[in-house]
Amino acid sequence: MSFKPYSLALYELAKDKDQVPYYMEQLKKLSDIWKENEDFLKALRHPKITRREKKEWISQLFESELDPLLYRYLLVMVEHDQIGYIPEIYEAFIEVYKEDQNIESVLIESACPLSEDQIRQIKTVIEKKLKKNIEVRTNVVPELIAGVRVRTKDFVLDNSMLSRISNLKEKLENAY
């Protein structure tokens, strides 16, 4: 199921009000509430609980606590039977934001921890290649032996010793 249309609607409203960071933060808080309260989440997703009951809950819990636009948004989500999926809508909101801001998440894996300077250098190269702003996450993977592996949404650049050994092994096996 795609939650992008629901997140895109809220994103466009937030953007019109020039308050994207604020709505992102508020949606994150709601997402956390949903995740931390499993019974509440199950009830919001339960098909036998009426929309009217769900609206009453949302009203009691959030009407005086939320920005009016966000409160109305939750009521619309009840009408569309999406109120139980606020965590997923939040994740889709983040993706819409990243697309709009031309941001791509990149994972840099290395055999040992990288210095800030090394991360910055890799980031600069990837930003030039992708022509996007890069959001970097790092992970230490000792199995790589040496070198780095960079993962983006669309490709993997593997310049690790493990990759080189694997390639050499494959060439040797195919040579005979």
Side-chain angles (χ1 to χ4, degrees):
M1 172 181 282
S2 174
F3 298 100
K4 190 170 184 176
Y6 302 105
S7 62
L8 184 58
L10 182 61
Y11 183 80
E12 291 298 327
L13 290 169
K15 193 172 175 182
D16 289 347
K17 292 179 85 171
D18 197 28
Q19 292 191 348
V20 171
Y22 171 76
Y23 283 97
M24 189 181 312
E25 177 188 327
Q26 295 302 304
L27 197 55
K28 167 83 168 99
K29 288 179 182 177
L30 290 170
S31 174
D32 291 344
I33 291 169
W34 265 237
K35 288 177 181 179
E36 292 166 5
N37 297 281
E38 192 173 318
D39 290 338
F40 180 60
L41 179 62
K42 286 179 184 177
L44 289 173
R45 290 183 179 176
H46 200 287
K48 290 191 177 180
I49 298 174
T50 67
R51 289 178 181 159
R52 192 173 129 255
E53 289 175 289
K54 293 174 186 178
K55 280 185 177 181
E56 286 175 14
W57 296 344
I58 297 300
S59 178
Q60 290 171 2
L61 293 169
F62 301 110
E63 186 173 19
S64 64
E65 303 297 321
L66 288 177
D67 171 88
L69 176 68
L70 196 51
Y71 169 69
R72 288 192 309 274
Y73 179 80
L74 292 181
L75 295 179
V76 170
M77 292 301 95
V78 171
E79 283 299 316
H80 288 264
D81 293 321
Q82 300 300 309
I83 194 64
Y85 299 96
I86 294 300
E88 292 83 354
I89 291 169
Y90 167 69
E91 293 300 324
F93 187 96
I94 297 297
E95 290 304 313
V96 168
Y97 168 76
K98 287 180 180 179
E99 287 173 16
D100 185 54
Q101 299 298 310
N102 200 30
I103 297 170
E104 182 154 346
S105 294
V106 173
L107 174 62
I108 301 172
E109 299 175 312
S110 58
C112 58
L114 297 172
S115 70
E116 289 299 318
D117 190 50
Q118 289 170 316
I119 293 169
R120 195 172 17 265
Q121 288 174 8
I122 294 169
K123 180 180 177 186
T124 300
V125 169
I126 300 299
E127 282 179 333
K128 284 180 184 174
K129 180 171 178 52
L130 296 179
K131 296 182 174 91
K132 292 186 175 190
N133 299 312
I134 300 299
E135 178 182 87
V136 174
R137 292 179 299 123
T138 60
N139 190 24
V140 175
V141 181
E143 295 81 27
L144 295 178
I145 305 168
V148 297
R149 180 168 48 205
V150 177
R151 296 177 188 263
T152 72
K153 180 175 68 175
D154 297 323
F155 72 89
V156 175
L157 173 64
D158 194 340
N159 191 23
S160 67
M161 186 59 71
L162 177 63
S163 173
R164 292 178 193 170
I165 291 170
S166 294
N167 289 339
L168 182 58
K169 178 183 174 190
E170 185 177 313
K171 285 179 183 176
L172 289 171
E173 288 175 346
N174 292 332
Y176 296 103

